[in-house]
Amino acid sequence: MHVHLPKPLHGWRAFVGEVGIIVLGVLIALGAEQVVESVHDRYLARQAIDHIRSELAYDSAFAAERIALGDCMRASFNDLRQRLITAGDNWPGLEGKPLDGAARVSPMVSLYASAPAMTSPHRLWPVSAWTAATSNGVFNRGEGRFFNYAALYAMVDWLGRLQDHEIADYSKLMPFRVPQKLDPAARLELLRDLGAVDADNADVERLASVFVTAAKRNGIPPDQHWLQRVLGPDAQRRGSCVKQGPALDAALAREFNADVRS
């Protein structure tokens, strides 16, 4: 039986050649692995950006809704303020008959066991796509768009905070739902609480207009599916004061430009 032993290398050139082939193979393998990882990372980054843009479009639809309802809310505030001034000592309650021309209001709001006579829409403002992208590192922080998206999400966070504050102020109107004797001190308290809710609504409306405009400038218009889903029922409950289509676009432009001038 003959055993073939490997032939010894003949000289340094042969040795270097063998080692060079091995090193080259390792480098090619490592390079190929890096290419695969780079392609995969780019795919994950694109996927994360798609999710972020979809989420911002969803948030923008709810921000646009607040602009669409601006006239409705102001009419309701003015109506209640006028009724408070003229009611005298016998307050008929927030459910009393509104003045002619005042906006109709929704009879039910899911956040309340007993809904106040007037409320703004209270929506969820999701940020899960942004949280996931920034926590797992797939989004390139060196990219210019990172800071644009970060600024948009900062506004989303602030819209949520303003809404929480608004809900707390609305709760102060609850005791005045029912008919009661209304002395001057109680009337003054209700007027003060009404002024706080009016200011809350104005703050949300201004920030919403800036957010929608900034999102559009980044190529992210409001999600039309969700916008129509909320504006349709809003128009049925509140009437023609709800802005849609070109009227909503004009209101957005007006609010944004007014905010910039100030």
Side-chain angles (χ1 to χ4, degrees):
M1 180 176 180
H2 298 283
V3 178
H4 297 281
L5 297 176
K7 294 180 179 180
L9 295 175
H10 298 287
W12 284 105
R13 288 186 179 180
F15 174 76
V16 171
E18 293 286 341
V19 172
I21 291 172
I22 294 172
V23 171
L24 181 60
V26 171
L27 291 176
I28 291 174
L30 289 175
E33 182 180 0
Q34 289 179 349
V35 169
V36 171
E37 288 181 356
S38 178
V39 171
H40 182 62
D41 288 345
R42 286 198 297 269
Y43 168 76
L44 291 178
R46 286 196 301 270
Q47 190 177 53
I49 290 173
D50 288 343
H51 291 164
I52 285 170
R53 294 176 69 85
S54 295
E55 188 171 71
L56 287 170
Y58 179 88
D59 290 329
S60 185
F62 293 145
E65 180 191 20
R66 293 304 299 260
I67 308 302
L69 300 184
D71 287 349
C72 303
M73 300 310 302
R74 281 184 287 274
S76 295
F77 297 142
N78 291 335
D79 166 56
L80 179 54
R81 190 175 291 111
Q82 199 62 29
R83 285 159 55 195
L84 271 170
I85 293 172
T86 60
D89 294 337
N90 295 316
W91 172 244
L94 290 177
E95 299 291 350
K97 182 180 179 181
L99 298 176
D100 292 340
R104 298 194 301 273
V105 293
S106 171
M108 292 298 295
V109 176
S110 60
L111 291 179
Y112 298 94
S114 178
M118 67 172 76
T119 62
S120 58
H122 297 140
R123 307 295 185 187
L124 295 176
W125 301 87
V127 296
S128 58
W130 176 250
T131 302
T134 53
S135 62
N136 60 23
V138 301
F139 196 88
N140 184 4
R141 291 174 181 267
E143 227 177 281
R145 285 178 298 179
F146 175 87
F147 299 101
N148 293 348
Y149 295 145
L152 291 172
Y153 273 103
M155 285 188 274
V156 171
D157 178 70
W158 193 242
L159 282 167
R161 293 173 184 268
L162 286 177
Q163 181 177 273
D164 291 342
H165 189 270
E166 188 178 42
I167 291 172
D169 283 341
Y170 268 120
S171 67
K172 298 174 184 178
L173 301 178
M174 298 298 289
F176 298 94
R177 283 178 53 86
V178 297
Q180 58 185 284
K181 290 291 185 180
L182 198 62
D183 59 35
R187 182 181 294 104
L188 182 62
E189 180 182 357
L190 180 54
L191 282 169
R192 183 174 60 248
D193 293 337
L194 178 62
V197 171
D198 194 357
D200 291 339
N201 179 74
D203 288 342
V204 174
E205 190 174 352
R206 280 192 293 268
L207 181 55
S209 67
V210 174
F211 170 66
V212 172
T213 303
K216 282 184 175 181
R217 290 180 178 178
N218 282 274
I220 309 172
D223 186 304
Q224 290 301 310
H225 170 72
W226 282 104
L227 184 58
Q228 294 308 314
R229 281 193 64 175
V230 295
L231 288 187
D234 284 338
Q236 291 178 357
R237 289 193 299 263
R238 300 175 186 266
S240 60
C241 61
V242 178
K243 290 184 173 63
Q244 300 187 63
L248 176 56
D249 293 336
L252 282 166
R254 183 178 66 250
E255 287 293 331
F256 179 75
N257 290 332
D259 187 68
V260 170
R261 286 195 301 270
S262 62

